[in-house]
Amino acid sequence: MSWKWCFRLLIVFVGLWLFLDLSSRLGAEILWFQEVGYLQVFLLRLFSRGFLWVVAAGVTAAYLWGNLALAQRLKYPQSLKIAEVRQEEAALSEGLKNYLSPSYSRMNAAPVTDGRMRPFRLRSLLPLTVTLSLLAGLILVHYGKIALSYWYPAFNKNNLPIITPFRLETIWELGIQLTAQVLYISLIVSVAIAILIYSQFALRAIAIILSVVFGTILFYNWAKVLAYFSPTPFNNNDPLFGKDISFYIFSLPFWELLELWLMGMLLYGFIAVTLTYLLSADSLSQGIFPGFSPQQQRHLLGISGLLMLMVAFSYWLSRYELVYSPRGVSYGASYTDVTVQLPAYNLLCGLGLAIAFYLLWRTIFWRSKSQHRQFAFYGLSIYLSLVVAVGYVLPTVVQYLIVQPNELQREQPYIQHTINLTRQAFDLETIDAKTFNPQGNLTTADIRANDLTIRNIRLWDQRPLLDTNRQLQQFRPYYRFPDADIDRYTLNTETSASRPASPPQPLAGDTANEQKERRQVLIAARELDYSAVPQQAQTWINQHLIYTHGYGFTMSPVNTVGAGGLPEYFVKDIAGNNQGALTTSNEEVRNSIPIGQPRIYYGEITNSYVMTGTSVRELDYPSGSDNTYNSYDGLGGVTIGNGWRRGLFAMYLKDWQMLFTRDFLPQTKVLFRRNIKHRIRAIAPFIKFDSDPYLVAAEAGSAFPGNNYLYWIIDGYTTSDRYPYSDPNSDGINYIRNSVKVVIDAYNGSVKFYIADRSDPIIATWSNIFPQMFRLLSDMPVSLRSHIRYPLDYFSIQSERLSTYHMTDTQVFYNREDQWQIPNEIYGDKPRPVEPYYLITSLPTVPFVGEASRREEFLLLLPYTPKQRTNLIAWLAARSDGQNYGKLLLYNFPKERLVYGTEQIEARINQDPVISQQISLWNRQGSRAIQGNLLVIPIEQSLLYVEPIYLEATQNSLPTLVRVVVAYENRIVMAQTLEQALQGIFQPEVTPAPPIIRPFEEGVSPG
């Protein structure tokens, strides 16, 4: 009796714990979304997810349990002694001797006169029940794997997958994939054994599990369902079916999700009912099943009709999925798919539909002694034969015997479809292609005319600058610079007669001696890394009440070098003098770059939750031997005080010390989900975000209340893997747009989403679903909008696709005769692909919008080389300023002459006897030379190559810039400064002694 009470108490305790846990999660999420201003988004998402889970789990449970209950009522009783068994009891008692006898099936075969089917002897009964049991185990493991990939994303590295459902032609393939691993095959066999031994319990348990699994799958696919009911037309049709692209982006994923659910439910229902009947009457022990009774036959015909209806629907969907076919030389429907596979799917869909209606008609108008009841078995047998013949054999024969001998002729129109739609999906059609023929006639006057470009050539890469920051600007172990980002700022500068720059445009209100100049900088946030706090000091109070925020940032111009080869800083230190919170290099910087509130409560590595407004003072920043303290007065956080919210968050965060601490005050707030990536993903999980948020110092005005000047900007992408004929990249994406810019207040935590591409139908759909979530880009404060840049991840994806899909001629594409690649460079001492880089320069022959002449702008550049060659063939530029934002330019170099590539320049640098000797000297006795990014810089109608060289110690690295290498045409110069190197190139007669000048050999062929 005591055991029963203990068990009941345990159930009550577990139930109460689950209730409190779910309630705390729901309450905390509601309060958090209310804090960030997106409660309506959360509630709509919560309702839709809950509704989908209830519908999927409820329908599945009702269907499976209803059919199992009916099967239990119609099955044979376990005590049934079959006539055949009574007559053969002696023979069966000898074991399996008669099982192997050929005459076994003919012994005492009593005629069936009551409408029952013929008995199943052990020879056919055992393989049939084992096969069906294994198939049930395969279904459970397959769908369980899908659900686990949603519950625990680390279980499956792919993003929320759409895995092919249980179509007839894919069961074998899925079985091979799952049984290839010992764990999966063990689970499948275990499930099968459990079904054979404890059939009634196991089949019902699997039904419950599948109900939860299907509910979970639809729960996590809420976005597909909502998008299905709010589609936005693309106003562009696919070339095979003539349907608007929106059908493939919004409707097809929904139908595939529905098929994934219903196919699994109906197939398992058929298997479970069949096994219930086959294992009744103790059939395995008696060695014979008496045959399906008329009532059992009618039941099986009904669920078979529903299953065949879903099979027909599955082949109907397969027709549209041909636009993602990998068969042939290009992605999408090929000649074989269109001429053979599509008619085969039409045939299988039509026949499946006919068989389904026949089975359902027989179920409704049942006749136990019908002369046509064998037609169903004949029809199914013919159908399965056709699945193999026209679904696999015939397309394979046509592909190998008809298509491949005349592949180009047969596939040419389909190759063109792939080219056209891939370029559409990755927005490559908007690229403005031009011819760029380097003339090699740069002069000193040209260099002076492009002085702003020269002054913004990046000599400092992110890695050496971060290493230097960690040595010079962290100050305490618990501070950390996780990243450094390239940006541009407009600074107040004094006009100098000795600086013949292309004059910047004066702004209204400027004095006569003051102008605005744009400077390219590296900005790095000084965040707090609590894991670096000494172990003895890692207490609960320190983690959650004292060490709450980072402080300030550093800003360095990319092109200047300070004393000892170290970077110069526009902004640095912490409260270094009477200038304010941070130290600025001069008054012009102080007036140009707002610092204001430098505390960073929300950042890239702020992964812990903190409580502010407590009786414990927060550490603000170190000041000499003491510390300065502060109390958070921002707008972020959820008030918990001393009421019921304290218990709610203690349960939610699983932090029971919150219940007992005496440091909380009525105004105490909890700040959680402070990692900016986690923050925006929680609000908008249907958007893919850039991997590199960047910090901006700007006055945002009333758009972001709270008197803070530090903001994070993150680019968001709308993506899909369902764009027809579009060749996906390595991540499975075959459609992408940079449709969203997200701004996060680093102090207050407020988040705002701005639509950057209003022409994107996917973001238009989400804007319709969540009308209060998105703002127009024009609503973003001008001070922030001036810092938006073309995102690097998006540019990398486009540039990778462009390396193949710049070829628009089908024959050239088929031959792959003009394939491009990303060139390599030497970084440190190892080769690696050139990464896209930002640069302030003017585009050759391209005026700025609204101006008649060219002027410098902020660009993202990447060069190309031909496949398996090292000379430059093209370079791609993305524009980021003003009305030109988002425009792509492709400059093609002439193929008839050599344009040096990065690998060729690197080879020239490293094989120069004097330069290589100097680098070898540096690589001795505890130091090493690092060759930085090799930049290819367009100036006028020429190319300039610049590579910085750093020197660092092997221990306690503090990189210093020691040399700059400049290459132009047939000359290489290595000097201490960029100015000296340029003089060595263009004014060799006044070049001082330190530079090293080496001419190239003439007439060298490209690598």
Side-chain angles (χ1 to χ4, degrees):
M1 191 69 178
S2 59
W3 282 106
K4 291 183 179 180
W5 276 105
C6 290
F7 183 70
R8 291 173 182 174
L9 287 174
L10 179 62
I11 291 177
V12 171
F13 177 77
V14 171
L16 181 61
W17 177 269
L18 290 175
F19 174 77
L20 291 175
D21 186 63
L22 291 175
S23 299
S24 66
R25 286 178 179 273
L26 179 61
E29 291 294 332
I30 289 176
L31 291 173
W32 184 83
F33 275 92
Q34 189 175 26
E35 174 219 336
V36 294
Y38 295 99
L39 181 59
Q40 190 176 27
V41 174
F42 172 73
L43 293 178
L44 177 58
R45 203 166 76 203
L46 178 69
F47 172 78
S48 60
R49 295 172 96 175
F51 176 78
L52 289 172
W53 193 93
V54 169
V55 168
V59 170
T60 303
Y63 178 81
L64 295 180
W65 272 63
N67 279 284
L68 284 172
L70 180 59
Q72 286 294 324
R73 189 162 60 87
L74 298 179
K75 73 175 185 179
Y76 296 115
Q78 294 297 102
S79 59
L80 177 67
K81 269 292 187 182
I82 306 170
E84 290 87 344
V85 174
R86 291 198 299 268
Q87 296 173 11
E88 300 173 4
E89 199 168 30
L92 288 173
S93 64
E94 296 179 6
L96 296 177
K97 181 189 300 183
N98 292 336
Y99 169 66
L100 301 174
S101 173
S103 60
Y104 182 66
S105 60
R106 297 192 298 270
M107 293 174 59
N108 304 311
V112 179
T113 59
D114 59 353
R116 282 192 296 124
M117 296 178 63
R118 288 183 175 275
F120 288 72
R121 306 283 182 168
L122 191 60
R123 174 179 306 201
S124 56
L125 176 64
L126 185 61
L128 182 58
T129 53
V130 170
T131 301
L132 291 176
S133 300
L134 289 172
L135 190 55
L138 187 62
I139 292 173
L140 180 62
V141 172
H142 172 63
Y143 286 101
K145 181 181 177 182
I146 299 176
L148 279 175
S149 68
Y150 290 104
W151 274 327
Y152 305 104
F155 181 80
N156 189 345
K157 293 183 179 180
N158 296 327
N159 292 330
L160 304 183
I162 291 183
I163 302 178
T164 305
F166 266 71
R167 297 176 181 172
L168 295 179
E169 71 273 16
T170 59
I171 292 177
W172 176 255
E173 181 181 350
L174 288 171
I176 293 176
Q177 292 176 359
L178 292 177
T179 56
Q181 301 184 38
V182 176
L183 174 62
Y184 291 141
I185 194 170
S186 301
L187 288 174
I188 293 170
V189 172
S190 300
V191 172
I193 293 173
I195 292 173
L196 293 175
I197 298 176
Y198 307 104
S199 60
Q200 184 175 347
F201 171 79
L203 292 174
R204 289 185 175 181
I206 294 174
I208 295 175
I209 296 173
L210 285 179
S211 299
V212 175
V213 164
F214 289 133
T216 301
I217 292 174
L218 265 71
F219 176 88
Y220 280 100
N221 281 280
W222 62 274
K224 294 183 177 67
V225 179
L226 291 184
Y228 171 76
F229 289 103
S230 300
T232 301
F234 278 66
N235 297 320
N236 187 23
N237 298 335
D238 80 282
L240 182 57
F241 297 101
K243 286 186 170 292
D244 189 270
I245 302 297
S246 61
F247 169 80
Y248 298 93
I249 302 296
F250 302 118
S251 299
L252 189 58
F254 172 78
W255 293 118
E256 289 173 332
L257 178 66
L258 200 64
E259 178 200 12
L260 182 73
W261 167 35
L262 296 180
M263 180 64 80
M265 181 185 74
L266 294 173
L267 182 57
Y268 177 74
F270 173 78
I271 292 171
V273 169
T274 305
L275 284 172
T276 299
Y277 291 144
L278 289 176
L279 296 175
S280 63
D282 203 17
S283 58
L284 288 181
S285 298
Q286 297 189 67
I288 190 171
F289 174 68
F292 294 110
S293 69
Q295 295 85 356
Q296 294 172 354
Q297 294 177 44
R298 186 178 187 182
H299 187 194
L300 287 174
L301 283 176
I303 59 177
S304 299
L306 293 177
L307 179 59
M308 283 305 301
L309 201 61
M310 183 50 57
V311 168
F313 176 68
S314 177
Y315 280 115
W316 179 78
L317 287 183
S318 297
R319 299 161 61 249
Y320 296 107
E321 291 168 351
L322 288 175
V323 297
Y324 314 118
S325 171
R327 180 189 282 136
V329 295
S330 62
Y331 187 80
S334 62
Y335 176 87
T336 302
D337 294 317
V338 174
T339 58
V340 180
Q341 198 77 65
L342 180 58
Y345 285 157
N346 287 331
L347 175 64
L348 293 173
C349 177
L351 287 178
L353 201 61
I355 294 173
F357 281 124
Y358 173 75
L359 294 175
L360 293 174
W361 178 81
R362 284 284 314 279
T363 303
I364 296 171
F365 303 100
W366 172 251
R367 294 176 59 189
S368 60
K369 298 183 179 181
S370 173
Q371 299 178 354
H372 308 293
R373 67 179 184 178
Q374 301 297 327
F375 287 176
F377 299 100
Y378 296 148
L380 289 173
S381 300
I382 295 173
Y383 189 79
L384 291 174
S385 301
L386 285 174
V387 167
V388 176
V390 304
Y392 285 98
V393 177
L394 185 59
T396 303
V397 171
V398 170
Q399 181 69 23
Y400 282 98
L401 299 184
I402 297 178
V403 176
Q404 289 190 357
N406 305 283
E407 197 165 47
L408 178 59
Q409 178 185 359
R410 303 280 188 188
E411 301 285 12
Q412 199 160 13
Y414 308 105
I415 294 175
Q416 191 65 59
H417 296 335
T418 301
I419 293 173
N420 293 342
L421 275 84
T422 300
R423 289 174 61 85
Q424 290 174 16
F426 289 94
D427 204 22
L428 305 182
E429 286 192 324
T430 59
I431 295 177
D432 186 10
K434 298 179 179 293
T435 299
F436 182 72
N437 189 3
Q439 299 299 316
N441 54 6
L442 270 183
T443 64
T444 303
D446 295 325
I447 296 297
R448 290 174 179 170
N450 290 272
D451 182 61
L452 185 59
T453 297
I454 299 300
R455 292 204 308 275
N456 282 284
I457 291 177
R458 178 162 59 87
L459 302 180
W460 284 101
D461 303 335
Q462 284 96 327
R463 181 196 155 189
L465 180 74
L466 284 174
D467 288 340
T468 303
N469 272 4
R470 288 162 188 152
Q471 292 290 331
L472 302 180
Q473 289 293 311
Q474 284 192 179
F475 304 123
R476 291 292 188 272
Y478 48 78
Y479 284 134
R480 180 179 159 198
F481 292 93
D483 192 16
D485 300 297
I486 297 286
D487 202 353
R488 72 284 196 199
Y489 283 78
T490 301
L491 305 181
N492 297 328
T493 60
E494 293 184 0
T495 305
S496 174
S498 63
R499 180 180 290 173
S502 52
Q505 297 295 323
L507 301 179
D510 290 345
T511 63
N513 295 325
E514 190 176 83
Q515 294 185 8
K516 302 290 186 182
E517 179 188 8
R518 305 179 78 206
R519 296 294 298 273
Q520 188 175 357
V521 299
L522 276 164
I523 183 171
R526 185 186 292 107
E527 297 192 48
L528 189 140
D529 181 10
Y530 183 77
S531 63
V533 173
Q535 189 67 35
Q536 297 83 354
Q538 290 190 10
T539 63
W540 183 85
I541 290 180
N542 276 339
Q543 181 177 6
H544 299 298
L545 305 184
I546 296 178
Y547 290 92
T548 58
H549 61 276
Y551 198 93
F553 61 95
T554 65
M555 182 182 290
S556 306
V558 298
N559 65 312
T560 59
V561 184
L566 296 173
E568 287 189 345
Y569 289 99
F570 283 159
V571 181
K572 64 177 181 178
D573 297 342
I574 297 178
N577 49 40
N578 58 1
Q579 295 181 3
L582 306 177
T583 302
T584 52
S585 59
N586 53 56
E587 186 176 353
E588 287 77 16
V589 170
R590 192 156 50 251
N591 295 332
S592 305
I593 299 174
I595 295 174
Q597 176 62 265
R599 298 171 182 88
I600 300 175
Y601 279 83
Y602 300 87
E604 294 187 73
I605 59 172
T606 48
N607 296 314
S608 62
Y609 58 91
V610 297
M611 276 70 77
T612 62
T614 66
S615 61
V616 179
R617 294 182 302 168
E618 303 171 39
L619 173 66
D620 205 24
Y621 57 85
S623 179
S625 59
D626 299 323
N627 291 328
T628 301
Y629 296 90
N630 181 65
S631 182
Y632 180 72
D633 60 354
L635 304 177
V638 179
T639 303
I640 54 175
N642 295 312
W644 58 270
R645 291 188 179 187
R646 181 192 288 207
L648 179 116
F649 277 98
M651 185 70 185
Y652 175 70
L653 298 171
K654 303 298 182 290
D655 186 349
W656 308 115
Q657 296 194 51
M658 293 177 65
L659 293 174
F660 307 107
T661 181
R662 297 183 178 181
D663 296 318
F664 285 3
L665 301 174
Q667 66 270 22
T668 297
K669 293 181 178 181
V670 58
L671 280 62
F672 68 101
R673 205 171 275 150
R674 298 191 300 140
N675 186 301
I676 54 175
K677 294 182 180 178
H678 300 164
R679 197 171 185 83
I680 57 178
R681 285 172 185 159
I683 298 172
F686 46 85
I687 294 176
K688 182 180 178 67
F689 293 100
D690 195 88
S691 61
D692 185 25
Y694 59 99
L695 189 69
V696 171
E699 295 186 30
S702 60
F704 285 85
N707 193 30
N708 176 52
Y709 297 149
L710 292 183
Y711 303 91
W712 297 97
I713 296 181
I714 306 179
D715 287 276
Y717 311 117
T718 51
T719 63
S720 177
D721 60 353
R722 300 282 90 188
Y723 203 92
Y725 276 101
S726 176
D727 189 7
N729 69 353
S730 57
D731 294 326
I733 295 171
N734 73 352
Y735 174 88
I736 185 170
R737 289 292 185 274
N738 176 214
S739 300
V740 178
K741 301 285 184 182
V742 189
V743 180
I744 304 103
D745 191 318
Y747 185 69
N748 297 297
S750 55
V751 181
K752 293 189 178 180
F753 296 83
Y754 296 92
I755 296 179
D757 185 358
R758 298 178 64 184
S759 65
D760 174 36
I762 296 182
I763 199 62
T765 289
W766 288 116
S767 182
N768 293 333
I769 295 172
F770 302 115
Q772 298 180 355
M773 182 174 183
F774 298 98
R775 296 168 171 83
L776 299 178
L777 190 62
S778 58
D779 295 335
M780 182 186 291
V782 176
S783 57
L784 289 174
R785 198 160 70 241
S786 64
H787 289 280
I788 64 173
R789 64 186 192 183
Y790 203 91
L792 193 143
D793 286 358
Y794 185 45
F795 185 79
S796 299
I797 291 173
Q798 288 181 305
S799 59
E800 186 274 329
R801 291 287 82 189
L802 184 66
S803 63
T804 298
Y805 287 94
H806 69 278
M807 296 179 287
T808 55
D809 182 271
T810 53
Q811 185 163 353
V812 173
F813 184 93
Y814 177 81
N815 295 329
R816 293 296 199 272
E817 56 188 78
D818 192 23
Q819 185 85 20
W820 294 349
Q821 65 182 6
I822 309 298
N824 287 330
E825 64 173 352
I826 301 296
Y827 193 89
D829 56 356
K830 297 179 181 178
R832 71 173 190 182
V834 173
E835 296 179 353
Y837 52 91
Y838 292 99
L839 186 68
I840 292 181
T841 187
S842 58
L843 288 165
T845 70
V846 178
F848 200 82
V849 170
E851 299 183 13
S853 59
R854 295 180 291 120
R855 72 175 174 91
E856 287 81 1
E857 53 184 303
F858 193 59
L859 303 172
L860 183 58
L861 303 175
L862 182 69
Y864 288 102
T865 60
K867 194 76 170 179
Q868 299 179 341
R869 305 288 288 177
T870 55
N871 59 291
L872 287 188
I873 192 66
W875 58 274
L876 182 65
R879 309 173 77 177
S880 296
D881 289 341
Q883 298 179 41
N884 290 306
Y885 175 82
K887 294 181 180 179
L888 293 175
L889 290 169
L890 178 66
Y891 285 88
N892 295 293
F893 296 118
K895 298 179 181 179
E896 64 274 8
R897 61 177 294 236
L898 168 65
V899 178
Y900 289 109
T902 56
E903 291 172 90
Q904 293 171 320
I905 297 296
E906 295 280 15
R908 293 294 180 181
I909 293 172
N910 291 314
Q911 70 190 27
D912 181 275
V914 180
I915 297 178
S916 62
Q917 181 182 16
Q918 181 63 63
I919 293 176
S920 298
L921 288 173
W922 281 326
N923 285 327
R924 296 179 183 177
Q925 297 183 353
S927 64
R928 62 174 183 148
I930 299 175
Q931 295 179 237
N933 294 133
L934 178 60
L935 307 181
V936 184
I937 302 166
I939 298 180
E940 300 293 338
Q941 287 291 324
S942 300
L943 295 178
L944 199 64
Y945 304 83
V946 178
E947 181 179 79
I949 297 180
Y950 312 97
L951 187 64
E952 70 171 358
T954 54
Q955 295 181 351
N956 298 321
S957 171
L958 182 63
T960 57
L961 181 64
V962 291
R963 293 292 186 272
V964 178
V965 178
V966 176
Y968 174 71
E969 290 297 314
N970 64 342
R971 307 188 76 194
I972 287 183
V973 172
M974 184 173 77
Q976 292 180 346
T977 66
L978 177 62
E979 290 75 11
Q980 289 178 338
L982 290 172
Q983 286 181 4
I985 292 287
F986 298 103
Q987 294 177 296
E989 68 279 359
V990 297
T991 302
I996 302 170
I997 306 174
R998 286 291 172 267
F1000 290 180
E1001 288 92 352
E1002 300 292 340
V1004 179
S1005 61

